[in-house]
Amino acid sequence: MTETGRDALGRIALLAGMPAAERLALAKECRWQKFSKGQLIFDKDSDNRDIMFVVDGRVTVTGYSLAGKEISFAEIGPGDHFGEVAAIDGEARSAAVTAASDCELASLNPVSFQRLLESHPAIGAQIMRRLTAIIRRSTERLMDFTTLSAHQRVCSELMRMAKPSQAVAGAFDIYPIPTQATISSRIGTTRETVARILGELIRGGIMVKKGRSVTIPDMSKLELLAQRLDGRH
C-alpha cells in the first residue's frame, strides 16, 4: 500500500459511509498501483476480476465495434470506481481501460469485494443503482445511434455531460470537456464532424467555450436541436 498512515480510500464515494477504521483495514487488502498516462490497465477479455478504485488521476473505458473502430464509453475520475461487473459475475472484462492521465488505483479482489457487499448492504445498494444507471445510459446511446443524426448525437452527448453551473444561475457547465476524438468515439462519428458541430454551436451562442470548460447558457436550445428528428438545424 502506498498510502500508509492515510485514509486514502476515504476519497472513494462508494466507501464514504464506512467507518474510517474499516476503510483502513480494507485498504490493506487492496493492491496499490500507479499507471502512467496512456498505459493499458487491462484489455478487453482480460481475466482480471478486481474492482478498482481511482484514488488519483483519470482512466478511460473503451470498446471496439465489429469493424474494429474504437468506441469510448466513459472517463472515470478520482473518487470513482470501475470493474464491478467482472468482480460480480466472474466473466472476462467487457471493455479495455487505459490511464487518461498519471493515476493511482487500489484494486480489490472479487472475494474481498463480495465480503464487503455482504457486510455493508448500503454499498451493495449503491452498486445496484450504479449498474442500473449504466443500463439506462446504454439504452439511450443505442437509441441515439439508431434514430439520431450526428448533429443530434453531439447535442445529446453534451446534455448527458452537463451539470448545473455553480457560477451562472440557470446555466450548465461541462468540465473538463472531453477531446473531439473522445466525443467522436462515444457517438460513432468522425472527429472532423464533431469539430464542425461544436464550432456551429459556439458560433450560434448555444454554448460558450473557455479553455477546457464549456458553459451552456440555455439548455432548452440544446434540447431543441437534439429533438429535431428531421435533421434540420
Side-chain angles (χ1 to χ4, degrees), residues 58 75 174-179 208-215:
R58 307 186 72 83
E75 186 168 285
I174 302 173
Y175 179 82
I177 182 74
T179 65
V208 179
K209 188 173 185 297
K210 185 176 182 181
R212 295 198 66 195
S213 177
V214 163
T215 297

Side-chain angles (χ1 to χ4, degrees), residues 4 15 26 32 46 71-72 86 90 93 96 99 102 106-107 127 130 133 147 168 170 178 194 223 225:
T4 303
L15 309 176
L26 186 67
W32 294 75
S46 167
I71 300 172
S72 176
R93 297 294 188 184
D102 292 348
S107 58
I127 291 292
R130 162 90 162 222
T147 63
V168 182
V194 171
E223 290 174 346
L225 291 177

Side-chain angles (χ1 to χ4, degrees), residues 35-184:
F35 295 88
S36 301
K37 181 178 179 179
Q39 186 175 353
L40 182 67
I41 296 169
F42 57 71
D43 207 347
K44 183 180 182 299
D45 298 324
S46 167
D47 60 3
N48 180 301
R49 303 290 188 270
D50 293 354
I51 182 172
M52 298 190 171
F53 306 112
V54 184
V55 179
D56 284 305
R58 307 186 72 83
V59 304
T60 301
V61 183
T62 57
Y64 296 89
S65 70
L66 292 176
K69 179 179 174 59
E70 184 178 283
I71 300 172
S72 176
F73 294 136
E75 186 168 285
I76 299 172
D80 211 339
H81 66 275
F82 61 94
E84 64 268 44
V85 173
I88 292 171
D89 68 12
E91 299 293 329
R93 297 294 188 184
S94 59
V97 178
T98 304
S101 68
D102 292 348
C103 60
E104 182 173 21
L105 308 178
S107 58
L108 186 67
N109 68 70
V111 174
S112 295
F113 180 52
Q114 185 64 42
R115 285 201 301 265
L116 176 67
L117 296 180
E118 291 171 353
S119 59
H120 292 275
I123 292 178
Q126 288 187 65
I127 291 292
M128 288 175 63
R129 288 192 292 271
R130 162 90 162 222
L131 294 177
T132 300
I134 290 173
I135 293 171
R136 287 187 180 276
R137 286 198 301 270
S138 298
T139 302
E140 290 173 359
R141 286 180 184 273
L142 179 60
M143 290 298 295
D144 285 356
F145 278 123
T146 57
T147 63
L148 302 184
S149 67
H151 191 284
Q152 291 169 304
R153 295 202 301 274
V154 170
C155 293
S156 295
E157 186 65 22
L158 293 172
M159 289 166 55
R160 275 191 284 265
M161 293 187 289
K163 306 295 182 185
S165 175
Q166 300 298 310
V168 182
F172 287 77
D173 292 334
I174 302 173
Y175 179 82
I177 182 74
T179 65
Q180 295 167 1
T182 296
I183 295 174
S184 68

